[in-house]
Amino acid sequence: MDELTRIPVAGDHPYDVLVGRDLFGALPTLIEGAERAAVLYAPPLKEQADAIAELLGARGVRALPIEVPDAEAGKTAEVAARCWEQLGAAGFTRTDVVVGVGGGAVTDLAGFVAACWLRGVRWVPVSTSLLGMVDAAVGGKTGINTAAGKNLVGAFHPPAGVLCDLALLDTLPAPELVAGLAEVVKCGFIADPVILELLEAHPLGPVYRDRGVLRELVERAVRVKADVVSSDLRESGLREILNYGHTLGHAIEKVEGYRWRHGHAVSVGLVYAAALARCAGRLDPLTAGRHRAVLALLGLPTSYRADAWPELLAAMRVDKKARGSRLRFVVLDGLGRPSILDGPDDALLRAAYQEVSGA
Ligand code: GLY
């Protein structure tokens, strides 16, 4: 294990996010007292799951590897039920642990399986994607998708600890790494402008190759999220700022039938939220323009189809963050100064969309 950074998350159930390389060795101390550990993983992560199972076995913990379908296909009630059957067959008790090895979908599922088993057992996400490290794995949101929509069934269930093993990013395909950067950019605008300076000074190629920069970006983004969820686990106030760029982003994902990468949709959503704040007279043009510039520099999309506006508006009105039919947007009043734009009128919404669609 090389140098390890511990980022604390406070609250009723405090835990640390560990950032570093080759971190699997830290797992046994996070799950002390467990006799059994279910290791949920998607097929591409079998090698890593096997390594974790072997390491736990050597420490006297009985590992139960459970393969689940990759990505969103694994976040279903049927898959969760299959996991619970296996926990039951293995005699899982309150002191046992669920480990989720994978991207955001697998860790969301693992957390949900743990949240419901015996009304809540410990769990540890071992995040293997950039998006998972800086978003899904931190903050205790767990859940599955149902016919009614994505993430509508779930629980707040903070983990016992989070492993962000940067060595796992060495083999992450470049497009996935780039998509994950959209959430990092979001953290830069809502709370930590140094992130933006780092990205502007080290555009894509060097960021991808230079571990030092990538590590600093992960640590800074995790710190932003850790600080927010430390004071508002249940999204009763401050946590809403993590939704910056997501209102239009979620609508694009829905209109695209979830075939667009989440990070790509959030990227367009960030440009839109900045345009909205500028059109509303709340954000200066330079900071608004910086959104498009930094996202484009990273190779992320910054525009979307003009003719999609009616569908996007309809999708935003049923977003789970909307209040009744009134739309709410996280916007910026300045760099690092997020606030809420509540119930903007249709003309403002449309004018901001024209900047995204180029119409
Ligand atoms: N992904 C936003 C949140 O965790 O609140």
Side-chain angles (χ1 to χ4, degrees):
M1 230 191 293
D2 78 343
E3 194 195 331
L4 176 71
T5 304
R6 279 177 193 276
I7 301 174
V9 182
D12 292 345
H13 302 280
Y15 58 95
D16 286 339
V17 181
L18 309 187
V19 183
R21 293 182 67 82
D22 306 315
L23 293 184
F24 291 175
L27 197 52
T29 49
L30 292 180
I31 66 168
E32 222 155 280
E35 281 179 29
R36 301 168 196 79
V39 182
L40 271 58
Y41 68 96
L45 276 310
K46 180 168 170 34
E47 199 183 308
Q48 286 79 3
D50 285 348
I52 286 174
E54 198 179 313
L55 185 142
L56 293 177
R59 306 287 182 96
V61 180
R62 213 180 105 208
L64 173 69
I66 303 181
E67 190 172 291
V68 296
D70 203 3
E72 299 297 316
K75 277 179 67 171
T76 67
E78 293 72 28
V79 174
R82 274 211 313 273
C83 294
W84 290 320
E85 273 163 29
Q86 297 200 44
L87 300 193
F92 254 59
T93 71
R94 283 230 155 87
T95 49
D96 295 330
V97 178
V98 176
V99 177
V101 185
V106 172
T107 58
D108 280 1
L109 169 74
F112 183 68
V113 166
C116 299
W117 184 253
L118 302 177
R119 299 196 179 87
V121 295
R122 287 176 296 168
W123 75 289
V124 178
V126 178
S127 197
T128 60
S129 71
L130 178 60
L131 187 65
M133 289 181 191
V134 299
D135 192 24
V138 183
K141 274 189 184 174
T142 73
I144 54 171
N145 305 326
T146 60
K150 279 184 78 177
N151 294 323
L152 294 181
V153 174
F156 290 105
H157 186 53
V162 178
L163 296 192
C164 296
D165 190 330
L166 300 164
L168 297 169
L169 299 184
D170 292 350
T171 50
L172 191 70
E176 273 202 49
L177 190 92
V178 171
L181 286 174
E183 294 282 355
V184 177
V185 170
K186 175 196 81 178
C187 292
F189 278 107
I190 61 173
D192 182 1
V194 173
I195 286 177
L196 304 177
E197 288 162 23
L198 274 166
L199 288 168
E200 286 159 349
H202 304 272
L204 183 60
V207 165
Y208 188 46
R209 284 192 296 272
D210 180 344
R211 287 175 188 165
V213 173
L214 191 55
R215 179 176 186 143
E216 185 169 358
L217 289 169
V218 170
E219 288 182 6
R220 284 183 176 275
V222 168
R223 263 197 194 97
V224 169
K225 181 147 192 193
D227 286 352
V228 170
V229 301
S230 287
S231 63
D232 181 21
L233 171 69
R234 290 175 185 277
E235 200 162 338
S236 43
L238 182 67
R239 188 164 183 163
E240 213 178 350
I241 68 171
L242 298 174
N243 207 37
Y244 187 48
H246 283 60
T247 310
L248 186 77
H250 285 151
I252 291 175
E253 284 187 283
K254 192 166 179 186
V255 167
E256 289 291 333
Y258 298 99
R259 285 180 297 269
W260 258 46
R261 289 177 193 277
H262 177 69
H264 288 186
V266 167
S267 176
V268 178
L270 289 169
V271 177
Y272 180 68
L276 202 51
R278 194 189 52 69
C279 292
R282 292 170 67 157
L283 184 63
D284 63 278
L286 262 182
T287 309
R290 197 174 178 190
H291 286 69
R292 188 190 295 277
V294 69
L295 292 162
L297 190 68
L298 298 170
L300 283 160
T302 56
S303 62
Y304 195 65
R305 289 186 287 123
D307 63 356
W309 179 241
E311 284 171 90
L312 293 172
L313 190 57
M316 288 195 288
R317 291 207 192 283
V318 296
D319 188 89
K320 62 180 183 295
K321 305 278 185 336
R323 304 275 161 94
S325 62
R326 215 172 71 237
L327 291 179
R328 274 166 73 80
F329 287 85
V330 179
V331 291
L332 296 185
D333 289 339
L335 189 54
R337 290 172 49 216
S339 66
I340 299 295
L341 178 64
D342 202 351
D345 63 38
D346 282 5
L348 182 66
L349 291 168
R350 172 94 218 189
Y353 191 66
Q354 275 167 0
E355 300 206 4
V356 170
S357 66

